[in-house]
Structure formats: C-alpha cells, structure tokens
Amino acid sequence: MKIIADLQIHSKYSRAVSQRMNIEEIFTWAVRKGIGLMATGDWTHPLWVREIKEKLVETGRGTLSIKQKHIKEITKEGNIEIENATISQFRNFAISNRAPEFLLATEISSIYSQGDKVRRIHNLVWVSRIKTAEAIIAELVKRGCNLGSDGRPIVGLTSQEIAELVLTIDETALIIPAHAWTPWFSLYGSKSGFDSVEECFGPYAKHIYAIETGLSSDPVMNWQIPDLHNRSIVSFSDAHSGPKIGREATVFDISSLSFTAIREAIINSNAVHLQTENQKSKIKNKISCTFEFYPEEGKYHFNGHRSCNIRYTPEETKKKGFICPVCGRPLTIGVAQRVAELSKQVDPVIPIQKLDANGVRWMYHPKNLRPPYVNLVPLAEILAEVLEVSSTSVKVFEAYERLTAACEGEFNVLLKTSLETIRQLMSQRAADGIKQVRAGTISIDPGYDGVFGVVKVWREEEKKEPETQQESLF
Ligand SMILES: [Zn+2]
Ligand SMILES: [Zn+2]
C-alpha cells in the first residue's frame, strides 16, 4: 500500500503556531490533503500529550487513530466550516476505517557549544508508544529541560546526548535531523551547524538513517552530498497551520501501516542500500517518492541580505564575494551555497525528468538509486492566481473545498484528476494552471535571507483578463 505521510508539524503549543492547531484541525486538513499518516507534533509538551491521550488511541501497530467519538463530533458539529462533501468523506472514512492515523513525532531544539562554536540543531524524534514518549519526557525533565514553555522545547543537551537518551530508552526510536540545511537551526546550517552527521552525532551517527530536506532544498541537492549516500531523504511540511500541512510530504510504499514498516522504509531507501539491493522491487517497505516545494520558494535558498536588498546565486558569490556591498557585513549564506560546499563538487548527479500519463514531471535519479520526487505548488496558491485574489481569501477556500471534496484530496487534484474534470468543477483557467504546475512550466523568484521565494503559474505578461468564475451548475 502507498500512504502519504507528513511527519513534521506543530501544535498550538509551539511558538508562532495557529491557535486552531488541535487534533481535529490537523485531522481535518489531513483529510482535505489526502494524507494517510500525520505527525502528532509536540509530544514533549505536557498539555499536548494530554490532548493526544484524550482524543487518540493506540492502534497496537505503533500508530494512533482518532477516537470514534471525535469523528462524530467533527461530522455533527463541524470543527471548522466543513461542507457537506467533506462531511460525507468523513463518514466514508469512519465506515471503511481509512481515517488518517497519527505517529508520535516531535521536534527538539538543541542549543550548545561544541568546538568553540554555538550549535543550534533541530531534531525530530519519532516513537511508537505513548509509554516510550513518557519515559523520554521523564528523562528530559530529570536533566533539567523545560518542556512546558514551548511545544518545540529548547534544551541544552547536545544532539549526541539526545540520541543517547532516546535510544537508551527505545532502540527502535528514530532521530531525524530536521530541515537539515537552514542556516540558523540545522545539522548542515551555515551559521551554527556541522559539516557531517558524524561530527554532530559522534558514535550515534550510524543510527541517523535519514535527514529531512526542509523547504529550501530538494532531493537532487541532497543527492550530491557524499555524507548522505547511506541515508534516506525525507520531506515534511513543518506546518504551523492547517492549510500548510502537506506542502512537503513523503509517500511510503509499505506492506501494511505500522511504525515498524515506516522505520524499515526509512532504513531501506538510501543510495548505498538500493545499489547493493539487486531486486529493488522486492524490498517490502520503502519510500516510494517525495512531494517537494520548489526549493527556490524556501526563504533561505540563495545568499543575501534582506534589509540591503542583495541576493546572489552561488555563481555570483564566487565573483562578487561574501561581503554585502551595501552594509559591509557578511551575507547570510543560503542553502544552495552550502550544498555546493559540502558536495565537494564531485560527479554532479543530474536528475532525469520524465512526464507521467497525467502530465506530471517527475525527477528521477539517473541510476535509480533514490526515490523520485515531484515539485508542487500548493493548490490554494494556484487557485489564488486563477481567481486573482489572495490565497487566504474565502473565495479560494470555497473553490479549494469544492475541488478537494470532489476529487478526494488536494494531492489527487494536483497529480491525478483529469484536466477535463477540473475544467468542469472549476474553469478552463484552473485546468490550465494545474497543467502548467504538473509540467513545471512556471516562473520562480528565489528566496534569500528569510524572504520567501515567489512562485507564479503565469508570468506577468501572460496575465489575462480576470475570469469570472465559470462554475458548472448544470
Ligand atoms: Zn525546526
Ligand atoms: Zn547588507
């Protein structure tokens, strides 16, 4: 079975997160997107653990499912403005038992000194039992960690100490460095990270089976890094609100849904393993593919200074240097530059592009040693351009609800639904927009120094007259 997973998000107890991010909200958006496995997020937070225990129940397979009474509550009362179509989807889920499940996933922020440098590293920790989570919580508290002030706690323990603590309690737990390339808070970050997994995790490096790409890098950038050849590459949203859930995701191909299967898939899907494994198709549990943001859309793609309005590509930086011509201080080094540094410029891996039957452009590893991926633009952003209103407007939300309910989720709309169906449900312009996103024929203004990049389906000169919404009413 293939299952779409988003295993990094935050609850309302983390800083800068929407106050609506409770279990029902996360569940509802998982359904809208078409996600089958969601992170709980934030299980180190005392109030969030309480909510997890109240609303979710362990399945016995290392995942959790929403309690039936909460499904009824959602369908009867509507957690947010749920329309009929979505409600009927929930009924189907309740009946067929296909409701999204949850995995106990949290993120810990470690700030510490190592080798005369301050390190700030975010790591994801996944466990299969509430009991295990509670044992880890108790141990963190014993070591003086303050878990109550933020759903993503800031601790003074090193990445190595976190790995030791977690793996001593449960050796099947998974530790995955989060958004591994962002300058300020990550494993490879230019400001406060390391040059290798080994340097960061010491003897525990062999237990680091994967890294999470983050929004500013995509798999092909990570394929260049020798340090990652024996590690898998996963992508998740790091969502702070419902609509952002699934903006990046990982599709698992597993025999049946369990923590063990997900763990095996993570261990199985690196380049070294796939090279030695002759009968790849016989691997039972593996990563099938990932859904990616355009890395240029991430806010730390290129080098630059936001306040000085300076943005350089790595090539420009080579010519002009790392010092800002406006303020004279060093530029914030973006992800593209760090990747170029750590790839050590050996044998660049050039992806092969292939269009599938639905016109979706997939990126393949030339030797098939990595799962393929696709770059997506969130449906709300496409609809905002189609309707020429903001992506957070009611008009976009209504169109989003109609499409995702009729086509069983956003990922279907983006990747599978026929363009004719989209035309009938929405308009010709919407079908054209989806077609362009699938083919990757869009324009991108890259992000830098904390400024998000901007992706446009239509270039300025292609903008047509605003289209009155041609709904098919008959
Ligand atoms: Zn983080
Ligand atoms: Zn400057």
Side-chain angles (χ1 to χ4, degrees):
M1 69 185 280
K2 288 199 179 160
I3 189 154
I4 303 173
D6 183 357
L7 299 178
Q8 190 197 3
I9 55 139
H10 289 288
S11 76
K12 61 182 177 182
Y13 296 107
S14 281
R15 205 170 308 164
V17 171
S18 158
Q19 281 312 297
R20 296 169 72 153
M21 282 295 266
N22 58 15
I23 293 288
E24 292 90 333
E25 176 84 350
I26 296 166
F27 180 86
T28 306
W29 277 98
V31 172
R32 287 192 177 115
K33 300 278 169 172
I35 288 170
L37 184 64
M38 276 304 306
T40 58
D42 295 359
W43 56 252
T44 46
H45 195 278
L47 295 176
W48 189 239
V49 180
R50 194 197 290 172
E51 181 162 340
I52 288 171
K53 284 160 105 176
E54 184 193 316
K55 295 176 180 168
L56 302 178
V57 59
E58 294 191 88
T59 60
R61 293 176 275 106
T63 58
L64 303 111
S65 60
I66 198 158
K67 287 183 183 165
Q68 284 298 315
K69 67 175 188 187
H70 287 284
I71 290 185
K72 277 184 214 131
E73 269 168 32
I74 292 170
T75 56
K76 238 191 296 164
E77 297 158 10
N79 179 36
I80 24 184
E81 303 89 27
I82 295 175
E83 296 188 352
N84 289 338
T86 311
I87 288 172
S88 78
Q89 277 195 27
F90 280 127
R91 290 212 181 99
N92 285 341
F93 278 127
I95 293 162
S96 65
N97 222 0
R98 275 171 46 239
E101 292 189 0
F102 288 80
L103 187 137
L104 289 161
T106 196
E107 184 183 27
I108 297 176
S109 169
S110 286
I111 301 185
Y112 56 99
S113 294
Q114 186 174 327
D116 291 339
K117 211 174 146 188
V118 176
R119 315 289 179 161
R120 298 185 191 86
I121 317 287
H122 289 186
N123 289 306
L124 308 179
V125 182
W126 300 352
V127 296
S128 58
R129 304 275 309 273
I130 291 176
K131 216 174 81 185
T132 311
E134 287 178 332
I136 293 169
I137 290 167
E139 197 55 39
L140 287 167
V141 170
K142 213 160 92 188
R143 303 207 194 174
C145 299
N146 176 0
L147 302 181
S149 65
D150 197 325
R152 184 189 57 212
I154 298 171
V155 304
L157 303 179
T158 67
S159 297
Q160 207 171 306
E161 285 168 334
I162 295 280
E164 183 189 13
L165 184 158
V166 168
L167 294 170
T168 303
I169 289 170
D170 182 355
E171 59 178 16
T172 69
L174 284 166
I175 297 158
I176 298 180
H179 42 77
W181 294 96
T182 54
W184 298 100
F185 299 104
S186 75
L187 174 73
Y188 293 129
S190 59
K191 293 283 180 191
S192 47
F194 295 90
D195 286 348
S196 70
V197 175
E198 192 93 81
E199 206 189 326
C200 179
F201 284 94
Y204 293 92
K206 62 175 185 287
H207 299 280
I208 307 302
Y209 301 113
I211 60 120
E212 199 269 318
T213 64
L215 302 181
S216 298
S217 89
D218 68 1
V220 67
M221 297 165 78
N222 292 275
W223 296 347
Q224 316 298 329
I225 309 298
D227 195 37
L228 293 177
H229 285 175
N230 60 346
R231 297 190 166 91
S232 296
I233 290 159
V234 291
S235 285
F236 306 116
S237 72
D238 203 355
H240 288 201
S241 66
K244 301 272 193 254
I245 285 175
R247 61 186 164 174
E248 294 207 321
T250 298
V251 182
F252 290 94
D253 188 356
I254 48 183
S255 47
S256 64
L257 179 54
S258 69
F259 185 90
T260 309
I262 295 289
R263 184 172 185 276
E264 267 180 38
I266 295 262
I267 294 173
N268 281 343
S269 304
N270 66 62
V272 174
H273 183 82
L274 292 179
Q275 186 141 44
T276 52
E277 183 57 60
N278 293 326
Q279 292 168 299
K280 267 177 247 174
S281 56
K282 296 251 172 78
I283 299 178
K284 244 189 4 203
N285 298 311
K286 61 184 176 191
I287 293 171
S288 170
C289 61
T290 56
F291 299 157
E292 307 283 335
F293 230 47
Y294 277 88
E296 297 88 345
E297 205 175 349
K299 54 185 176 180
Y300 291 105
H301 188 67
F302 283 149
N303 309 325
H305 265 175
R306 112 192 260 174
S307 52
C308 305
N309 212 9
I310 294 291
R311 175 180 63 189
Y312 290 170
T313 64
E315 294 73 39
E316 283 171 319
T317 310
K318 220 186 234 171
K319 288 184 218 134
K320 298 178 182 170
F322 289 98
I323 300 298
C324 173
V326 178
C327 70
R329 286 177 296 127
L331 299 173
T332 302
I333 301 305
V335 167
Q337 182 78 38
R338 271 300 274 171
V339 170
E341 280 170 27
L342 294 186
S343 69
K344 310 199 167 79
Q345 314 290 357
V346 283
D347 301 337
V349 182
I350 315 282
I352 294 170
Q353 305 184 10
K354 284 186 205 165
L355 288 187
D356 71 12
N358 302 312
V360 179
R361 184 191 64 175
W362 288 89
M363 310 295 253
Y364 284 85
H365 187 283
K367 292 181 186 157
N368 235 350
L369 298 181
R370 294 287 191 178
Y373 69 93
V374 61
N375 292 103
L376 294 177
V377 176
L379 179 58
E381 284 180 29
I382 302 171
L383 294 173
E385 270 195 75
V386 168
L387 301 170
E388 305 210 320
V389 290
S390 135
S391 63
T392 52
S393 67
V394 175
K395 243 173 131 181
V396 164
F397 184 73
E398 283 170 0
Y400 180 92
E401 281 285 81
R402 187 166 68 242
L403 277 175
T404 54
C407 308
E408 293 184 29
E410 176 170 346
F411 290 122
N412 273 340
V413 177
L414 291 175
L415 296 165
K416 285 191 176 160
T417 307
S418 79
L419 296 174
E420 177 55 23
T421 304
I422 291 167
R423 190 187 67 77
Q424 283 170 15
L425 289 165
M426 252 313 269
S427 64
Q428 183 62 46
R429 187 166 159 80
D432 290 344
I434 300 275
K435 185 178 171 194
Q436 296 211 54
V437 169
R438 286 181 181 178
T441 51
I442 58 171
S443 91
I444 309 171
D445 190 22
Y448 68 105
D449 195 23
V451 182
F452 273 110
V454 179
V455 165
K456 290 267 174 234
V457 179
W458 287 278
R459 281 174 244 277
E460 286 304 317
E461 62 266 29
E462 291 169 2
K463 283 245 162 77
K464 297 174 200 153
E465 290 294 297
E467 183 182 272
T468 49
Q469 211 181 324
Q470 292 163 10
E471 286 157 60
S472 120
L473 300 170
F474 50 87

